Amino acid sequence: MDAGDVCCPADVRTAEPRVRHLLDWARRHAWRSVTVAAGGMPPTLSRLPTDEPVQLDRWDWRLWRRLADAGVDYGDYGVHPAGPGAGDSGDRLPTVRYTDDGSWWVYRWARRGGRGDDRFADLCRTLVSAPHWPTTGAAFSWGDHELLRRARRGAGAGSTANWAAWSTSHHLAHVLATLSHPAGDGAPRWHPGQGPPPQRGRSLR
């Protein structure tokens, strides 16, 4: 079941009864499993501030929390919006979308001066010093390794495709880590981890 984009509280309130209605229908048939998928990343990030981490609520995750009693499986669109063809393909600013517990941290870097490699290295140094940067465990992915390389040694700024790939790599590792440690409070099996909420950066809620 694809709930599409849920990017605000109103989207969650609208999507939940529709999903529950479909679940009532699904229970009358012999499905082996039912998965609810949703996307929470805004279709554009160009309105966000630059040169500081910005926290965005994961409204898709909130929808899943509200459906915890339904016993369904969960999916998402990762660090991309659910709408077809949506995104910031025209935005060339170095951008990393970093999945955390119940939120994303978006880094868009436009510092003046220096080469593009230096600008991206500065972004990465800011990220790896943040509380939401993983230091051990399954959440430390190939994408995290690439970002850490650039924080320590430069190693090139990459491209929009690289930034999306590194962000996606971390997102998948974060998901797999939380799948293997489900919450004991009735929360969905697919949900962000149990760490404390980070305090740095600006929050748009």
Side-chain angles (χ1 to χ4, degrees):
M1 297 180 183
D2 190 343
D5 281 315
V6 283
C7 295
C8 65
D11 287 348
V12 174
R13 290 193 298 269
T14 300
E16 182 184 1
R18 292 177 178 174
V19 171
R20 289 189 182 276
H21 177 74
L22 288 171
L23 288 174
D24 289 340
W25 167 83
R27 291 188 184 100
R28 297 196 295 269
H29 301 272
W31 296 103
R32 290 186 178 181
S33 65
V34 176
T35 298
V36 175
M41 182 64 68
T44 179
L45 304 177
S46 58
R47 67 180 179 88
L48 300 183
T50 60
D51 304 325
E52 62 177 288
V54 179
Q55 188 179 20
L56 299 179
D57 279 314
R58 295 189 62 204
W59 296 107
D60 49 357
W61 175 76
R62 293 183 182 233
L63 172 64
W64 303 334
R65 294 280 298 196
R66 291 170 71 112
L67 294 168
D69 62 300
V72 294
D73 294 329
Y74 294 86
D76 70 10
Y77 285 81
V79 298
H80 300 284
D88 286 283
S89 57
D91 189 351
R92 301 294 299 178
L93 290 180
T95 303
V96 172
R97 302 163 173 86
Y98 209 73
T99 307
D100 190 33
D101 299 349
S103 61
W104 286 290
W105 289 89
V106 178
Y107 290 72
R108 297 177 69 240
W109 241 239
R111 294 192 192 278
R112 295 185 176 88
R115 301 178 306 150
D117 289 6
D118 296 332
R119 183 168 55 183
F120 193 71
D122 184 66
L123 182 162
C124 293
R125 283 192 294 270
T126 305
L127 172 56
V128 303
S129 65
H132 43 270
W133 173 257
T135 55
T136 59
F140 197 80
S141 67
W142 162 76
D144 292 308
H145 176 71
E146 292 299 313
L147 294 167
L148 184 61
R149 283 182 59 212
R150 282 151 181 82
R152 290 176 172 174
R153 298 190 295 274
S159 64
T160 54
N162 292 134
W163 307 329
W166 298 333
S167 298
T168 298
S169 173
H170 168 73
H171 180 82
L172 293 173
H174 191 92
V175 170
L176 290 173
T178 54
L179 275 171
S180 64
H181 297 88
D185 58 358
R189 281 173 284 171
W190 195 133
H191 70 93
Q194 302 300 302
Q199 301 298 318
R200 295 183 56 184
R202 182 182 299 183
S203 178
L204 299 183
R205 296 175 184 249

